[in-house]
Amino acid sequence: MGINLKEMFYFNDPLIIGSQIAIVLTTIGIVAGITYLKKWKWLWTEWLTTVDHKKIGVMYIISGVLMFFRGGMDGLLMKAQTARPEMGFLDAQHYNEIFTTHGVIMILFMAMPMLIGLMNVAVPLQIGARDVAFPQLNALSFWLFFAGAMLFNISFVVGGSPDAGWTYYFPLAGKEFTPGIGNNYYAVALQIAGIGTLMTGINFIVTILKMRTKGMTLMRMPMFTWTTFVTCVIIVAAFPILTVALAMATFDRLYGTHFFTVSSGGMDMLWANLFWLWGHPEVYIVALPAFGIFSEVIATFSRKTLYGYKSMVYSIVGIAVLSMVVWVHHFYTMGAGPAVNSIFSITTMMIAVPTGVKMFNWLFTMRKGRIKMTSAMLWALAFVPCFLIGGVTGVMLAMGAADFQYHNTLFLVAHFHYVLIPGVVFAVFAGLYYWWPKMFGHMLNERLGKWHFWLFVIGFNLTFFPMFFLGLKGAIRRSYTFSAASGFSELFLLSAVGALILAAGFAVFCYNIYWSVRYADRNISSDPWDARTLEWATASPVQYYNFAYLPEVKTLDAFWYMKKNNIGIKLDENQIEEIHMPSNSGLPFVMCAVFGIVGFFLVFEWHLAAAIASIGIFAGLIARSFDYDHGYHIHKEEILATERAWRQAEGEVNTRVG
Amino acid sequence: MKKWLISLLAMSSALLSGCQTNMVVFEPQGPVARSIMELINWSLLWMLLVVVVVLTLFGYIVWKYREKKENMNYEPPEEHGSTTLEIIWTAIPILIVTALTVPTVKTLYALENVPAGYESKKPITIHVTSADWKWIFSYPEQGIETVNYVNIPEDTPIDFKLTSAGTMQSFWIPALGGQKYAMNKMETQLYLVADNPGSYFGRNTNFNGKGYAEMEFEVQVKTEKDFDEWVSEAKSSAPKLTEQQYEELLKPTHLGRLTYSNTHLAWVDHSKPDSKSYTNPELYRGHGYPGKIFEEEDNYRSPDAQKDAVQNLENKDAHRGDTHGH
Amino acid sequence: MEKKANGFPMGHVYGLVLSLLLTFLAAGVVLKTALSFPAVMAIIGTLAILQAALQLFMFMHVTEGEDGKTNLINIVYGVVCAVIIVAGSVWVLTSGHAH
Amino acid sequence: MSAKVNTSLPLEYQTEQNRLNILGFWIFLGAEIVLFSTLFSGYGVLGERYAGGPVLKDIMVFKDVMIQTLLLLVSSFTCGIAIFEMRRNNLKGLLAWLVITFILGAGFLYMEINEFMHYVHAGATMQTSAAFSSFFLLLGTHGLHVTMGIGWGTMIIIQLLKKGLIPETARKTFIIGLYWHFLDVVWIFIYTYVYLKAMVS
Ligand code: HEA
Ligand code: HEA
Ligand SMILES: [Cu+2]
């Protein structure tokens, strides 16, 4: 295994050299900064080894925001390239790499961590628990995700980017047609991150089933907790499929097997089949928690309980079940015959029914309410019309025969951005504006928030609405250029301009974070929105033990009920007992490094090195098996002191949006 | 939301009235594309209804119940839902979905057969073989093979039999009908009919590597007389394709139009499960770190393939990404 | 939950005997009978499912403990997914023109 | 997470954390069902695509498959006895039966490795054809699980020796018991849908 540095860091491409320099400089900057501020110890004890679900949530969110930058930059580059016909800004190879990384990063390394991050922050609090069921596993999940994300991201500057689309269709993605190592990154990095996600799924299922506080029956759970639970069920049912599909892909690429190859009996259709068996549930994995966030936000800012709570629950369960039986709608054109296509057309269209139930329930939650136009609520409001368009075009795609004309055109690209951006990105923004005070003890600036909102929503529609028409005119996806004669030019330009506005919106959001961290008022209520669920019953930012003692729940919207009836709000000091907490652990972080290294060696096909490095994985597992750490206890006095302090400060609060 | 509403209305009224929209999907040039368009129009109607209803409701509610200075004291009522309403908004979507399902299934089945009204006419079979990054059309009955263009007679059902020599492609002539995949060692099938003579645009829509964007072809629809003339002319004047030339043809390149007076089906039909594979990974080397390549027994390896590959690598720095020079 | 019995756990012994029986029965059907392929597959498929259920209930005690119901729902859901994945894939990839 | 202990339950259920772990493991087994069924779907689709290479039916030795099956079935039984002994608080019995279980498992592994070597000699490797790629992936994944099970079991035996029967070791033992039975279930399907099916066709 000779190592050729020239080929590893191909030094002949300005774009890539630029990125390499930027990465090196940023890394040096960060290391120097931390050293200068003497923050290494703090970083290690407070963050890298933490098992606190709230901190893990914050780390997920930070990674998600960073990945949004990367994915967004990819999106902007693509828009720049197709702004005019026959542009020479990117060549075909670059464009292919960029849409591949854009798709993967946006879905797996942006949407997933953002939502899992918010789950981590909110769900244990919403059910009145001290932490998740397996705090250390939770940390490991995060660090595996992180290892996968980092491994995937270095592909742009080391060794070559994957370039077979986020759908990674074989045989193109196999060694027969892409012999470079670029596509190895996809198979290996997604595998590592996927294992992390699977463990998150198991962790939250157990947490939600077993760790609800007294009186919180399933039908009293906040809607975000419900969607998290159902999402995790889908994760557990879908991610193992990805694990196997990726294992097959890895074997084909690294060891010359014949699962999806052209030669020796392989079948490329099997990849498409397995990919979408996972891939379709995956889009609901990202959409359902988003629906949960909207439910919380809409109920809070309409000052009403969620309309049709029960049918909301049944509809998410319905969506979850249906999501497992629609995968073929992504390849109606593969020629499986009218019987197959008919069945899957029907199952797919049926998803419109439970989704519609949710839509109407949201609308009727607002009816007779008092709708407060905070930034968080604005996102939820914009979601309704935008997602509606994405949804109905989805139903159009679902009609197998019609899909023969839409498939792989920009109509499809418009559809999925119209569901993914309102359905995920809007929700994440809504969630961040909503839970920000809970996470950090200060609010995001509402005025900047509105700028962010309007720029982003207008830019989004301007970018993607023209794509419906482009698709109907015959413009295809994944094409790096188009001819002037095609008549696509105006709409493409319009779309590019929209993307700039969109980016400006996101830039305002980043500035908002910066501004708020520096200048926002710290003197705010622990319940600034007059909200309804238990996470608002404790301090902001939340004490590391969450609750002094676990609250008792009597109804849905538990905290609202507590406030209205003035029960359980005041601290009952007699109820305070010692609290048992799990200890921090450096093992997850070490495992992240080991997995990253093994993954890197595998990507470069240095099998011996990978085998040796993977001993580290087993060492980690053994170390964990022999770890009998029982955690520690917080003493009563400490709890009392903390509680008295924040409850006293609460009286002097001057910031409350109420 | 008004903006969307207006543009949606504008769009659909333009579509439904059938005037010039420049949208190829709405300007069908044959019965297959027409039946799909009718299905699409049907769905648009219903979707428009859904969008209008939901947006109206949305606009009304948000406007009426927004927080104002006057209603700051208004405390919303406790209400938990309504079974009647729940039933209504479950049932109506089910009805709409049913209204969409029935024609969808009908069309799906219809598309697998010769279009209605053309059953009496004997279809012409054309084998379509896609390779990186070109389209090869074989007329077994006529004994002709063309590359990157296909001539067909008007008003005659064409039975396209699709397969691929390597990667997965999708065969699409939007003016004439929907698309289908072409896959190695697999045969998919598509009936199309063209109403009128003319030139239509066809292409691959399934991403298959560097040369994907340019993987297009032209469909020339001729009168039957012109078509027969073209056939006999091609038969008499076009050169014969040899196996060796064919292997050359399958390399990942862009080519212009070619015509031959025989077909490659004589020695290989890529749709057969045990047909020979013509893969040569060396020709796909790009930038970045080279990975291991696995030798397959039936890999295509002409004597100069290796040389080509080496040259390919040497040139790659000079013009990365544009190996297709046309 | 099992009692803290002192004797030998006969339940386990019966389980073993039964599972051996099912295994040999399946082999017997395959080796000694001349039924058609679908018939044999149906029979041995049923035997496999029986035997899996036997392991689940007699050895693994799925329904035991305070989460017995959850465990059972979980396993049933897993099995439903398994059927969808296996039967669905085979159906989709072997129908139509895709040979 | 609290260390409250309910002594009326068997050791492995006594603490809250133990109950969480056991439920979590069941959910994990749900994921394993999906994982293996995906492998089966791969074999179901590719299993006959020998691409002109050797055919499983011709090279397999049914007698050896039967022995593997018996080894695994009996080990599943002995594993059940081990857990039974654990519930009687009989550490010695537990250890003895566990050791027997893993020895049987090792026997199974030995047979399986031999079987694979035999196939490789007969010209059927993972690279030979799609059928053998999917065969080896399915069987290999199961075999890897058995290997991991033995390694993990060894760790637990060491811990039992060091710490005796306490709620934590009991939970770990109980969980590996579940795991071991599950591997037996998977094997039943391999036996039926891979080996017996090959004999029929
Ligand atoms: C968050 C992600 C998300 C969501 C929620 C959806 C939701 C839906 N999607 Fe989408 N989809 C994607 C992400 C998503 N999709 C992605 C990423 C791709 C492309 C991947 C790729 O190829 O790269 C894709 C592709 C895709 C295809 C494949 C097309 C092709 O490749 O040719 C199809 C086809 O059926 C489809 C259908 C649907 C349907 C029917 C819904 C439904 O769930 C929508 C339901 C919602 C509504 C309908 C609106 C509200 C309902 C009412 C107001 C009730 C009344 C309505 C009616 C009766 C109609 N989607
Ligand atoms: C959650 C998922 C998600 C999200 C949020 C997005 C967001 C965006 N996507 Fe999307 N996209 C996908 C998922 C997503 N995408 C997927 C799955 C594919 C298919 C891939 C494939 O074919 O394999 C795809 C494909 C895809 C294509 C099609 C490529 C093709 O087929 O030819 C395009 C083209 O325009 C595009 C554009 C964009 C743009 C402009 C955004 C914007 O919304 C991005 C906005 C974000 C920013 C702009 C952040 C950057 C901001 C700054 C850096 C601040 C500084 C400001 C300035 C420099 C001005 N995407
Ligand atoms: Cu889908």
Side-chain angles (χ1 to χ4, degrees):
Chain A
M1 53 176 182
I3 297 173
N4 183 339
L5 284 181
K6 187 159 166 290
E7 274 164 340
M8 211 158 145
F9 304 93
Y10 33 103
F11 291 116
N12 43 26
D13 186 317
L15 211 66
I16 290 170
I17 295 187
S19 313
Q20 285 166 337
I21 294 173
I23 290 179
V24 171
L25 287 182
T26 319
T27 316
I28 294 177
I30 294 175
V31 172
I34 297 174
T35 313
Y36 178 75
L37 296 169
K38 301 207 172 70
K39 289 282 189 190
W40 282 112
K41 182 132 189 283
W42 169 81
L43 191 68
W44 177 257
T45 49
E46 292 293 314
W47 294 95
L48 302 186
T49 59
T50 188
V51 294
D52 181 343
H53 68 98
K54 303 176 286 297
K55 285 189 174 161
I56 290 174
V58 169
M59 291 196 289
Y60 267 119
I61 290 169
I62 292 173
S63 319
V65 171
L66 288 178
M67 291 295 107
F68 199 13
F69 257 99
R70 165 79 206 267
M73 273 327 269
D74 285 348
L76 291 181
L77 289 175
M78 287 190 289
K79 289 278 80 173
Q81 164 61 20
T82 53
R84 307 295 305 140
E86 272 141 36
M87 279 274 273
F89 174 54
L90 300 174
D91 59 33
Q93 179 60 31
H94 267 127
Y95 191 84
N96 299 347
E97 293 175 0
I98 287 176
F99 71 68
T100 303
T101 49
H102 168 77
V104 172
I105 287 178
M106 280 301 198
I107 293 201
L108 285 141
F109 300 137
M110 190 283 286
M112 295 290 284
M114 287 279 206
L115 294 166
I116 294 182
L118 289 172
M119 291 177 189
N120 265 293
V121 168
V123 168
L125 294 169
Q126 286 198 326
I127 60 174
R130 287 260 148 69
D131 205 320
V132 294
F134 314 115
Q136 260 145 12
L137 190 70
N138 199 23
L140 182 60
S141 288
F142 168 76
W143 286 109
L144 287 185
F145 146 76
F146 192 76
M150 288 303 115
L151 188 60
F152 192 81
N153 269 278
I154 59 165
S155 67
F156 191 63
V157 288
V158 193
S161 269
D163 58 359
W166 90 283
T167 51
Y168 203 67
Y169 270 21
F170 278 80
L172 177 66
K175 270 293 167 73
E176 292 158 311
F177 298 100
T178 44
I181 60 143
N183 280 327
N184 293 351
Y185 272 111
Y186 181 103
V188 176
L190 264 60
Q191 188 70 280
I192 296 173
I195 296 170
T197 307
L198 180 61
M199 295 191 305
T200 300
I202 297 174
N203 207 339
F204 275 82
I205 289 180
V206 179
T207 306
I208 295 173
L209 282 178
K210 304 273 296 177
M211 294 177 70
R212 278 167 288 133
T213 187
K214 195 168 161 211
M216 179 160 292
T217 58
L218 285 177
M219 280 308 194
R220 285 181 193 162
M221 292 198 308
M223 197 42 67
F224 182 58
T225 302
W226 254 114
T227 54
T228 298
F229 176 65
V230 174
T231 301
C232 289
V233 173
I234 310 182
I235 287 178
V236 173
F239 266 78
I241 307 174
L242 179 70
T243 304
V244 172
L246 288 176
M248 289 173 171
T250 311
F251 272 97
D252 267 12
R253 287 192 60 85
L254 262 50
Y255 308 110
T257 54
H258 294 285
F259 292 101
F260 314 124
T261 55
V262 160
S263 47
S264 301
M267 192 200 260
D268 47 7
M269 299 193 302
L270 180 63
W271 167 266
N273 182 73
L274 294 181
F275 179 83
W276 288 116
L277 256 168
W278 162 78
H280 185 83
E282 166 66 17
V283 306
Y284 287 97
I285 291 170
V286 293
L288 283 185
F291 291 172
I293 296 173
F294 289 131
S295 300
E296 302 292 337
V297 168
I298 288 178
T300 300
F301 294 111
S302 308
R303 299 180 71 80
K304 274 182 72 199
T305 188
L306 199 61
Y307 198 83
Y309 175 88
K310 270 194 187 148
S311 63
M312 287 298 239
V313 171
Y314 299 140
S315 66
I316 30 179
V317 175
I319 292 176
V321 172
L322 282 173
S323 80
M324 294 302 292
V325 291
V326 299
W327 75 97
V328 175
H329 68 221
H330 292 277
F331 47 91
Y332 286 136
T333 49
M334 208 153 72
V340 171
N341 284 356
S342 297
I343 295 290
F344 284 92
S345 291
I346 296 170
T347 52
T348 304
M349 281 190 267
M350 269 157 55
I351 300 195
V353 177
T355 317
V357 169
K358 300 189 76 67
M359 274 286 188
F360 291 111
N361 277 322
W362 284 319
L363 289 179
F364 275 70
T365 307
M366 293 191 277
R367 186 171 151 262
K368 295 192 190 163
R370 195 172 91 211
I371 304 169
K372 188 175 210 40
M373 303 286 175
T374 58
S375 300
M377 186 63 179
L378 284 178
W379 290 109
L381 290 178
F383 159 80
V384 173
C386 294
F387 187 82
L388 181 66
I389 295 185
V392 295
T393 50
V395 173
M396 291 166 71
L397 290 165
M399 303 164 63
D403 182 61
F404 293 164
Q405 286 285 33
Y406 310 127
H407 184 57
N408 280 347
T409 65
L410 290 184
F411 188 92
L412 165 65
V413 175
H415 155 68
F416 67 68
H417 283 92
Y418 258 92
V419 277
L420 278 167
I421 293 181
V424 178
V425 179
F426 286 14
V428 166
F429 287 145
L432 287 178
Y433 279 94
Y434 182 61
W435 279 307
W436 197 269
K438 195 56 14 194
M439 290 190 273
F440 301 110
H442 65 265
M443 310 244 230
L444 283 171
N445 183 307
E446 282 284 312
R447 235 166 66 89
L448 288 173
K450 297 211 165 121
W451 275 99
H452 167 209
F453 171 79
W454 286 108
L455 286 171
F456 201 90
V457 172
I458 292 171
F460 156 68
N461 281 288
L462 216 53
T463 310
F464 295 105
F465 206 73
M467 286 194 191
F468 286 118
F469 298 97
L470 280 170
L472 296 171
K473 281 165 171 274
I476 48 159
R477 70 189 294 196
R478 293 173 172 172
S479 171
Y480 78 106
T481 191
F482 58 97
S483 72
S486 59
F488 302 155
S489 312
E490 291 79 16
L491 289 175
F492 264 120
L493 186 61
L494 191 63
S495 166
V497 172
L500 278 183
I501 303 179
L502 186 61
F506 189 75
V508 173
F509 176 60
C510 297
Y511 177 68
N512 195 350
I513 295 182
Y514 167 79
W515 188 92
S516 307
V517 169
R518 285 206 62 167
Y519 305 115
D521 188 359
R522 261 53 181 181
N523 187 14
I524 59 162
S525 156
S526 61
D527 175 29
W529 313 118
D530 204 0
R532 317 177 73 80
T533 40
L534 279 182
E535 73 268 34
W536 302 100
T538 182
S540 300
V542 185
Q543 325 81 308
Y544 60 108
Y545 51 81
N546 289 0
F547 298 96
Y549 49 87
L550 298 181
E552 192 180 337
V553 172
K554 297 253 165 42
T555 58
L556 188 62
D557 289 339
F559 183 49
W560 185 260
Y561 176 84
M562 284 157 72
K563 284 190 290 189
K564 291 295 133 189
N565 298 291
N566 199 11
I567 42 171
I569 298 282
K570 263 189 75 177
L571 188 68
D572 177 1
E573 298 192 351
N574 297 328
Q575 282 206 43
I576 293 181
E577 286 171 17
E578 276 198 342
I579 297 174
H580 175 247
M581 298 293 290
S583 315
N584 281 3
S585 165
L587 194 58
F589 181 76
V590 173
M591 290 293 258
C592 159
V594 175
F595 267 95
I597 292 167
V598 174
F600 186 83
F601 288 155
L602 277 180
V603 167
F604 279 82
E605 301 174 5
W606 298 334
H607 302 298
L608 188 65
I612 294 170
S614 62
I615 294 173
I617 297 177
F618 292 101
L621 291 176
I622 292 172
R624 179 79 189 100
S625 178
F626 281 93
D627 179 9
Y628 279 75
D629 188 308
H630 286 280
Y632 62 100
H633 287 84
I634 314 173
H635 294 295
K636 229 174 132 168
E637 297 71 52
E638 192 190 335
I639 302 168
L640 270 173
T642 319
E643 291 295 318
R644 284 178 186 145
W646 78 264
R647 279 162 200 270
Q648 211 152 36
E650 190 78 6
E652 296 150 21
V653 157
N654 56 28
T655 308
R656 173 166 179 153
V657 189
Chain B
M1 332 106 237
K2 281 232 182 70
K3 198 180 67 214
W4 302 310
L5 195 64
I6 289 163
S7 36
L8 242 148
L9 270 170
M11 172 177 92
S12 32
S13 55
L15 304 181
L16 297 172
S17 61
C19 67
Q20 278 290 309
T21 56
N22 284 325
M23 286 189 246
V24 62
V25 170
F26 291 104
E27 284 150 20
Q29 304 296 327
V32 178
R34 204 169 308 119
S35 69
I36 299 182
M37 182 193 69
E38 278 158 13
L39 184 67
I40 292 177
N41 281 341
W42 174 249
S43 72
L44 269 175
L45 215 65
W46 287 107
M47 292 306 116
L48 204 66
L49 178 77
V50 171
V51 168
V52 168
V53 169
V54 176
L55 284 191
T56 314
L57 206 60
F58 171 72
Y60 171 76
I61 290 175
V62 172
W63 187 254
K64 175 141 189 231
Y65 297 102
R66 74 191 192 285
E67 184 175 276
K68 294 173 285 233
K69 287 220 179 60
E70 303 93 84
N71 69 356
M72 288 306 274
N73 293 329
Y74 166 69
E75 203 44 46
E78 287 276 331
E79 57 171 358
H80 292 277
S82 149
T83 317
T84 329
L85 283 174
E86 299 277 358
I87 291 174
I88 292 175
W89 62 56
T90 312
I92 294 181
I94 290 181
L95 292 179
I96 298 178
V97 165
T98 318
L100 297 175
T101 302
V102 175
T104 301
V105 173
K106 273 193 187 144
T107 315
L108 275 171
Y109 276 88
L111 288 180
E112 298 299 318
N113 300 312
V114 178
Y118 296 85
E119 292 91 345
S120 55
K121 212 144 185 192
K122 190 179 166 305
I124 295 181
T125 304
I126 299 180
H127 284 257
V128 181
T129 306
S130 56
D132 287 352
W133 291 287
K134 60 196 70 82
W135 291 95
I136 304 165
F137 299 92
S138 323
Y139 299 67
E141 291 142 20
Q142 286 74 13
I144 300 178
E145 185 146 305
T146 61
V147 176
N148 285 339
Y149 78 101
V150 56
N151 286 358
I152 57 171
E154 62 176 332
D155 290 330
T156 312
I158 313 292
D159 180 0
F160 285 107
K161 297 210 175 300
L162 316 174
T163 190
S164 161
T167 52
M168 188 191 276
Q169 283 91 355
S170 187
F171 175 82
W172 190 36
I173 310 169
L176 300 185
Q179 59 192 296
K180 224 170 231 187
Y181 286 172
M183 295 170 290
N184 187 245
K185 309 218 161 100
M186 219 79 68
E187 183 170 283
T188 43
Q189 188 261 359
L190 189 65
Y191 282 112
L192 295 178
V193 181
D195 290 334
N196 299 305
S199 157
Y200 305 110
F201 166 76
R203 66 157 303 124
N204 168 25
T205 76
N206 197 58
F207 175 62
N208 66 334
K210 230 190 252 174
Y212 160 72
E214 290 89 356
M215 197 172 156
E216 307 164 346
F217 61 95
E218 187 191 349
V219 190
Q220 292 172 352
V221 181
K222 295 177 178 298
T223 60
E224 277 185 61
K225 201 170 113 262
D226 284 354
F227 178 76
D228 292 339
E229 256 168 41
W230 171 76
V231 169
S232 52
E233 197 197 310
K235 285 226 59 116
S236 59
S237 64
K240 287 235 179 295
L241 177 64
T242 64
E243 198 165 344
Q244 208 181 354
Q245 275 172 326
Y246 182 68
E247 296 190 352
E248 203 60 34
L249 219 149
L250 291 183
K251 288 182 180 168
T253 50
H254 287 279
L255 297 173
R257 297 176 186 201
L258 301 167
T259 315
Y260 298 103
S261 55
N262 61 335
T263 75
H264 75 270
L265 299 174
W267 57 85
V268 60
D269 178 351
H270 298 281
S271 72
K272 294 278 175 294
D274 51 357
S275 62
K276 184 176 167 191
S277 301
Y278 291 80
T279 50
N280 186 349
E282 287 299 347
L283 297 177
Y284 291 87
R285 286 279 189 212
H287 71 283
Y289 203 80
K292 180 173 161 59
I293 284 175
F294 303 97
E295 301 274 338
E296 296 303 332
E297 257 174 66
D298 56 355
N299 267 1
Y300 160 59
R301 289 204 159 274
S302 76
D304 54 6
Q306 208 59 43
K307 211 176 77 211
D308 271 16
V310 172
Q311 212 156 31
N312 206 16
L313 272 179
E314 280 166 0
N315 292 347
K316 82 173 189 223
D317 291 350
H319 44 97
R320 266 193 43 211
D322 54 17
T323 39
H324 38 83
H326 76 234
Chain C
M1 246 160 274
E2 274 166 77
K3 300 273 161 316
K4 289 194 173 144
N6 281 321
F8 205 71
M10 288 316 281
H12 281 93
V13 179
Y14 299 141
L16 176 68
V17 172
L18 261 175
S19 70
L20 288 176
L21 213 68
L22 289 168
T23 308
F24 283 111
L25 206 63
V29 172
V30 169
L31 295 174
K32 304 284 182 220
T33 66
L35 295 168
S36 70
F37 179 74
V40 177
M41 286 317 288
I43 296 174
I44 60 178
T46 318
L47 294 178
I49 290 166
L50 279 179
Q51 190 166 180
L54 185 150
Q55 290 275 338
L56 268 174
F57 287 97
M58 298 189 69
F59 288 172
M60 293 166 87
H61 311 283
V62 251
T63 52
E64 170 189 282
E66 63 183 33
D67 299 307
K69 227 162 100 192
T70 315
N71 288 343
L72 199 62
I73 295 173
N74 171 50
I75 294 297
V76 169
Y77 184 66
V79 171
V80 170
C81 287
V83 171
I84 291 172
I85 292 167
V86 178
S89 300
V90 172
W91 182 48
V92 167
L93 296 180
T94 54
S95 357
H97 298 286
H99 59 226
Chain D
M1 232 167 309
S2 61
K4 281 193 203 95
V5 176
N6 180 348
T7 42
S8 69
L9 295 168
L11 263 183
E12 67 272 18
Y13 286 113
Q14 278 182 5
T15 66
E16 177 65 21
Q17 189 65 46
N18 274 4
R19 293 192 290 267
L20 293 180
N21 281 37
I22 290 170
L23 179 64
F25 195 79
W26 273 104
I27 310 272
F28 172 75
L29 288 185
E32 289 270 57
I33 292 180
V34 175
L35 184 122
F36 276 102
S37 61
T38 312
L39 290 167
F40 273 105
S41 80
Y43 186 75
V45 171
L46 302 176
E48 309 273 314
R49 296 164 79 104
Y50 289 108
V55 174
L56 179 60
K57 184 183 184 172
D58 299 341
I59 57 177
M60 71 181 259
V61 182
F62 188 66
K63 195 186 90 217
D64 291 357
V65 174
M66 264 334 256
I67 297 175
Q68 289 175 36
T69 309
L70 295 183
L71 282 173
L72 221 49
L73 280 180
V74 175
S75 81
S76 186
F77 166 74
T78 55
C79 180
I81 305 291
I83 302 299
F84 177 84
E85 292 296 345
M86 179 174 90
R87 291 216 169 144
R88 288 208 300 194
N89 231 335
N90 178 355
L91 182 59
K92 274 223 185 84
L94 165 62
L95 285 170
W97 285 108
L98 270 188
V99 170
I100 295 175
T101 303
F102 296 130
I103 288 174
L104 288 168
F108 167 86
L109 260 187
Y110 172 78
M111 297 285 297
E112 183 159 59
I113 291 168
N114 265 337
E115 183 194 341
F116 286 2
M117 293 205 322
H118 166 70
Y119 294 156
V120 171
H121 284 306
T125 67
M126 241 186 144
Q127 287 80 9
T128 310
S129 62
F132 273 100
S133 296
S134 56
F135 172 86
F136 279 113
L137 188 66
L138 172 59
L139 276 277
T141 307
H142 179 265
L144 190 70
H145 273 73
V146 176
T147 318
M148 299 273 283
I150 295 173
W152 180 21
T154 315
M155 297 300 131
I156 291 175
I157 290 175
I158 296 172
Q159 288 169 37
L160 281 168
L161 287 172
K162 268 172 57 178
K163 311 221 171 213
L165 263 178
I166 55 172
E168 266 138 319
T169 48
R171 175 243 296 165
K172 290 182 184 196
T173 317
F174 183 74
I175 286 178
I176 197 172
L178 291 180
Y179 182 77
W180 199 261
H181 293 307
F182 176 77
L183 293 183
D184 193 31
V185 174
V186 173
W187 180 260
I188 293 162
F189 286 95
I190 291 178
Y191 167 75
T192 308
Y193 284 100
V194 176
Y195 291 112
L196 289 184
K197 180 166 169 251
M199 305 277 295
V200 191
S201 55

